C-alpha cells in the first residue's frame, strides 16, 4: 500500500511539476524540514512576549531589542566560523540540534517551581526571561536563514522556480498546525499555564 502511494506521488510530481524522482525526494525532504522548522518557530514565538512580560516586565522590551542587536554580532561571527569549518549540511545539523537542545533546557527551566513560570514575580533580574527573548530573536535570524542557505546551495534555478512556493506553502501548514494545537489546549483549560508553557516549549524542541 505504502509503495503504491509512493509511486502515485512520484507520478503526480513528474506529470504536473515536471520534475524527476530525485528532485521529488528533495522536494519532500525540504518541505518536511521547513514544515517542522516553521511549526516549531510558530509555537515558540507565541510564547516569547508573554514570558518576557511576565518574568521581566513590558517596560524592558525596548532594552531587549538593543541587547539582541549587540548579541547577534558575536553569534554571527561564531556562525561564520561554523560555515568555514563544516559542510553546509553539517552546519544545518549543528544549528538545528543546538536549537532543539536549548528548547528542552528552556522547557525544564519553565517547569521549575521557583525559576520557572510558577514564580509570578516580575523583575529585571530574572535571567530566564531575558535568555528566552534572545533565543527567539536568534531563531529567526539564524535557523531559518541557515536552512534556506542549504536549500539554495543544493538547488538549481529550475528546481527553485517550480518548488520554492510549494515548500513555503507546506511550511505555513506547519505553523498553522502548531498554533491551532496550542490554542485548543489553552482554550480547553486541560492544563494550567505553568504546565502548558513547558509542554509547548518541549514540543517546539521536538
Amino acid at each position: 500500500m505504502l509503495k503504491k502511494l509512493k509511486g502515485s506521488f512520484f507520478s503526480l510530481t513528474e506529470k504536473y511539476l515536471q520534475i524527476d524522482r530525485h528532485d521529488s525526494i528533495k522536494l519532500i525532504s525540504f518541505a518536511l524540514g521547513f514544515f517542522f522548522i516553521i511549526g516549531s518557530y510558530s509555537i515558540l514565538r507565541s510564547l516569547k512576549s508573554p514570558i518576557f512580560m511576565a518574568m521581566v516586565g513590558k517596560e524592558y522590551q525596548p532594552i531587549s531589542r538593543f541587547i539582541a542587536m549587540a548579541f547577534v554580532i558575536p553569534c554571527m561571527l561564531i556562525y561564520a566560523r561554523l560555515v568555514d569549518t563544516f559542510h553546509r549540511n553539517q552546519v544545518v545539523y549543528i544549528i538545528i540540534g543546538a536549537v532543539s537542545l536549548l528548547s528542552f533546557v528552556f522547557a525544564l527551566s519553565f517547569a521549575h517551581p521557583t525559576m520557572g513560570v510558577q514564580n509570578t514575580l516580575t523583575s529585571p533580574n530574572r535571567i530566564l526571561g531575558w535568555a528566552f527573548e534572545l533565543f527567539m530573536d536568534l531563531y529567526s535570524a539564524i535557523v531559518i536563514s541557515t536552512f534556506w542557505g542549504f536549500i539554495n546551495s543544493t538547488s538549481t534555478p529550475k528546481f527553485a522556480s517550480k518548488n520554492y512556493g510549494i515548500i513555503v506553502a507546506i511550511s505555513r501548514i506547519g505553523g498553522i498546525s502548531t498554533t491551532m494545537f496550542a490554542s485548543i489546549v489553552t482554550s480547553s483549560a486541560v492544563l494550567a499555564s505553568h504546565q502548558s508553557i513547558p509542554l509547548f516549549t518541549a514540543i517546539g524542541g521536538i
Side-chain angles (χ1 to χ4, degrees), residues 2-14:
L2 185 61
K3 187 176 181 181
K4 187 177 180 180
L5 288 172
K6 184 179 177 182
S8 300
F9 175 80
F10 287 134
S11 298
L12 288 172
T13 55
E14 289 172 10

Side-chain angles (χ1 to χ4, degrees), residues 177-189 200:
S177 301
T178 53
T179 50
M180 281 184 64
F181 169 76
S183 177
I184 291 169
V185 171
T186 52
S187 62
S188 63
F200 295 152

Side-chain angles (χ1 to χ4, degrees), residues 86-111:
F86 299 96
H87 295 295
R88 189 169 289 275
N89 64 309
Q90 293 174 323
V91 174
V92 174
Y93 301 149
I94 292 169
I95 294 295
I96 293 181
V99 168
S100 181
L101 178 62
L102 284 171
S103 296
F104 288 118
V105 171
F106 278 115
L108 291 172
S109 300
F110 291 149

Side-chain angles (χ1 to χ4, degrees), residues 1 5 29 34 44 67 73 91 124 130 142 145 153 168 188 200:
M1 181 65 178
L5 288 172
S29 301
F34 205 44
L44 292 174
I67 294 174
I73 296 172
V91 174
W130 291 99
I142 294 178
S145 60
S153 69
V168 172
S188 63
F200 295 152

